[in-house]
Amino acid sequence: MIEVKILLDNINYDSLADVLVPLVAGHLGGEKGGVLGEVLAKNPDTAAAMARTLLRTMSQEKKDEMVVQLMGKHRDKLLQAGRSALSKHGIGAELCDLSARKV
């Protein structure tokens, strides 16, 4: 087996917010999200702008911790996406595990 380490640097957090926040905002609607969740669900651009503003106030260390935490939380989805990409490109390899740690 081969262990592959991928280091990410110079992450564009604004673009990350632009992609992820509307997805999250869509799940905030309804009773669980309350009034704020409903507003954000109906206004994904506003939600993304709020996230970008929040990200600008965070230290680089906190942003890195957030990415590691999100990767851990969505590990199974990331593994499936990686496996799909390998299959799509005809690469004969098995993606066995994914882990992230802050360096």
Side-chain angles (χ1 to χ4, degrees):
M1 293 197 298
I2 298 172
E3 180 181 83
V4 177
K5 291 184 180 183
I6 300 172
L7 299 175
L8 297 175
D9 196 7
N10 298 319
I11 300 168
N12 183 328
Y13 289 97
D14 285 351
S15 67
L16 188 63
D18 289 341
V19 172
L20 295 180
V21 172
L23 295 174
V24 173
H27 294 286
L28 292 175
E31 293 180 23
K32 288 185 179 182
V35 175
L36 180 60
E38 191 67 30
V39 169
L40 294 176
K42 291 181 180 177
N43 300 288
D45 291 339
T46 301
M50 290 172 62
R52 283 191 301 273
T53 299
L54 177 62
L55 285 166
R56 287 184 192 116
T57 67
M58 295 171 69
S59 69
Q60 186 63 47
E61 183 173 329
K62 287 294 181 189
K63 288 189 269 191
D64 290 346
E65 288 174 10
M66 179 186 66
V67 169
V68 168
Q69 186 179 47
L70 287 170
M71 289 180 73
K73 181 177 180 178
H74 298 286
R75 178 184 168 275
D76 291 340
K77 291 177 185 175
L78 291 168
L79 282 168
Q80 184 57 43
R83 290 174 181 139
S84 294
L86 289 171
S87 176
K88 177 182 175 182
H89 295 288
I91 298 171
E94 181 182 349
L95 182 56
C96 298
D97 197 11
L98 170 76
S99 63
R101 70 179 179 95
K102 190 171 166 302
V103 179

